[in-house]
Amino acid sequence: GCNGILSCDEAGKNGGYIGSITKSCMGGRSACWRAAKDGGYIGQITNSCLEFFSCYLAAEHSGFIGQIVGSCKVESSCNYAAGLGEGGFIGRIVDSCNSYLACRTAGYRGNITLGIVDSCNYYQSCYYAAYGGEILTIDNACNSDFACDRAAYSNVGDIPNDINVGDIPSGII
């Protein structure tokens, strides 16, 4: 599903719920653009968002994405994925965002709470990820020039050494 231009635009807007996006958002520019806008929820994005801007602003304005797995592998495919506005949230990025600017500003002014794993291994792929927020861990990730440049950057950004389990919102896988 969601394989045409703007085919799932604002599908879960205004607090809507999308449990998972799997093998979708691939056949058209901006296919899942703003899919969970304005506090919406996407549980997991898997093997999806494989078109230019396909998941751009997917959970903008305080949206939530539990995990991005095996996705966002095309230039600019997940820019601002949980960005713009305050408090965008991505639980974990795994085996994703390995293309130029693929996850630039993902979690902008928000958090990538459980970390970046096996991801962001291309030039500027996660530039400004969690800008003004936090990234818990970086594991086998950010292994290219400027890959995670300015990640968690700003006067309030942080990559903490430790975090209490109680600090992680419930429902995260």
Side-chain angles (χ1 to χ4, degrees):
C2 303
N3 289 322
I5 295 171
L6 294 171
S7 57
C8 285
D9 178 32
E10 298 186 353
K13 183 180 176 181
N14 292 326
Y17 175 90
I18 298 172
S20 66
I21 295 174
T22 304
K23 295 184 182 177
S24 297
C25 309
M26 300 186 286
R29 181 184 174 116
S30 305
C32 289
W33 185 37
R34 302 179 304 195
K37 179 182 176 181
D38 295 330
Y41 173 95
I42 298 172
Q44 183 163 306
I45 297 174
T46 307
N47 298 323
S48 297
C49 307
L50 302 175
E51 183 73 34
F52 185 77
F53 274 178
S54 54
C55 287
Y56 180 74
L57 297 171
E60 74 168 312
H61 295 290
S62 301
F64 174 95
I65 298 173
Q67 293 192 108
I68 297 175
V69 180
S71 300
C72 309
K73 295 184 177 184
V74 176
E75 178 183 342
S76 299
S77 52
C78 288
N79 278 4
Y80 290 102
L84 291 183
E86 295 297 322
F89 178 90
I90 297 173
R92 178 181 2 235
I93 297 175
V94 180
D95 186 32
S96 298
C97 309
N98 289 317
S99 183
Y100 178 65
L101 298 177
C103 289
R104 178 179 69 105
T105 56
Y108 182 79
R109 292 187 180 171
N111 298 304
I112 302 175
T113 303
L114 298 177
I116 300 173
V117 180
D118 298 324
S119 300
C120 306
N121 290 313
Y122 195 86
Y123 178 77
Q124 287 191 343
S125 54
C126 290
Y127 183 77
Y128 274 119
Y131 174 85
E134 294 183 347
I135 300 172
L136 175 60
T137 60
I138 296 176
D139 184 16
N140 193 32
C142 307
N143 293 314
S144 184
D145 293 340
F146 304 104
C148 291
D149 186 32
R150 301 183 188 203
Y153 174 85
S154 85
N155 59 343
V156 297
D158 189 22
I159 300 175
N161 291 328
D162 61 342
I163 190 166
N164 293 324
V165 174
D167 294 338
I168 299 172
S170 64
I172 300 301
I173 297 173

